[in-house]
Amino acid sequence: MTAELREKVALVAGATRGAGRGIAVELGAAGATVYVTGRTTRAHQSEYARPETIEETAELVTAAGGRGIPVQVDHLVAHQVAALVARIRAEAGRLDILVNDIWGCEKLFEWDKPVWEHSLDKGLRMLQLGIETHLITAHYALALMIERPGGLLVEVTDGTAEYNAAHYRLSPFYDLVKTSIIRMAWAHAQDLLKHGATAVAITPGWLRSEMMLEAYGVSEANWRDATKVQPHFAISETPRFVGRAVAAIAADSDRARWNGQSLSSGGLAKVYGFNDVDGSRPDCWRYLVEVQEPGKPADVTGYR
């Protein structure tokens, strides 16, 4: 896939860590210029108080073969997003790919709590960080993207439309955010179609993000040790897997066939033939329904 996106300019909003970082790196590996945004820099940390920075992500993009450009942005602050898009216009003159991966809520959601038990402040903050940021960013960035036909908007969420329709996702707040993003991608698709652009929602599977690995007390090098605690973690995937899915769509001249659809890393791997960095091809969402939820022993045979 190297150089297939050499002339393309991408913005990955929310690229400090996790799926956003994986997507940014894979777009870079395909040759794209990638603006990577987030709140944490080497000089300033967000409330996450974590070590990952947008500068580090940009360096990984460049090392992969693209050009990474870090820009500190709080995507809830409209004038910062407007300034970001103005900078992209001035420096690159175009925007071909927008990836909305803004989240920042791992420390906010409370598992299996109804609305009357869940912290209201944390829940409403999730709606701001998980929904409002995407709309603010789309408002400014899509106006630039549609100036050229062929643009791509990717809305990153958790769960496919099919899975989320049949499963209650943790709490009303989390459930609303993750299902709203899928509908948001569909809504944008209706508007973008008139401009020759495409919008999709995409979900990774069980993501081996920096925070997930830390929660299990492992690193990417020894992640399989976590299966001693949670055997079904065997179906997990790196952030680069969903990154390869996004890069594959971006390089597909027939990507309009996906317009408005809810997609997954595992599903797209079957279509485009890419693998995760370890050569596997995890199909997490099918595995959850067919193996984990029925209470069967962990067995990824046929799912990786």
Side-chain angles (χ1 to χ4, degrees), residues 14 16-18 38-41 44-53 101-109 125-126 129-130 178 209-212 214:
T16 312
R17 60 185 66 84
R39 294 173 296 170
T40 298
T41 70
H44 176 269
Q45 283 192 330
S46 71
E47 69 269 21
Y48 265 64
R50 291 193 55 83
E52 301 88 16
T53 68
D101 184 51
I102 312 146
W103 174 229
C105 300
E106 280 89 349
K107 297 181 179 181
L108 296 176
F109 59 82
R125 178 68 170 168
M126 283 172 55
L129 290 171
K178 296 308 181 181
S209 65
E210 298 87 350
M211 295 182 77
M212 181 62 70
E214 187 175 280

Side-chain angles (χ1 to χ4, degrees), residues 10-33:
L11 164 58
V12 181
T16 312
R17 60 185 66 84
R21 173 173 284 189
I23 293 169
V25 171
E26 287 299 330
L27 289 173
T33 294

Side-chain angles (χ1 to χ4, degrees), residues 31 45 58 101 112 116 131 173 179 185 200 210 262 273 283 286 295:
Q45 283 192 330
D101 184 51
D112 301 322
W116 59 89
I131 298 176
F173 298 107
T179 56
V200 301
E210 298 87 350
S262 165
D283 192 356
R286 186 166 66 91

Side-chain angles (χ1 to χ4, degrees), residues 133-171:
T133 54
H134 288 236
L135 289 167
I136 292 169
T137 305
H139 173 79
Y140 290 102
L142 292 183
L144 174 57
M145 194 182 82
I146 62 171
E147 291 181 3
R148 293 170 179 262
L152 173 66
L153 165 64
V154 179
E155 290 283 350
V156 182
T157 188
D158 176 22
T160 62
E162 180 182 18
Y163 185 88
N164 288 353
H167 294 78
Y168 176 40
R169 305 305 309 277
L170 305 184
S171 77

Side-chain angles (χ1 to χ4, degrees), residues 1-12 15 19-36 56-69 97 99 239-240 242-248 250-251:
M1 191 178 293
T2 302
E4 288 189 22
L5 302 178
R6 181 66 63 189
E7 302 300 321
K8 303 299 184 182
V9 177
L11 164 58
V12 181
R21 173 173 284 189
I23 293 169
V25 171
E26 287 299 330
L27 289 173
T33 294
V34 187
Y35 287 82
V36 298
E56 186 178 49
T57 299
E59 289 166 0
L60 291 170
V61 170
T62 301
R67 181 185 176 211
I69 303 172
I97 303 159
V99 179
R240 298 280 292 274
V242 70
R244 290 177 177 181
V246 172

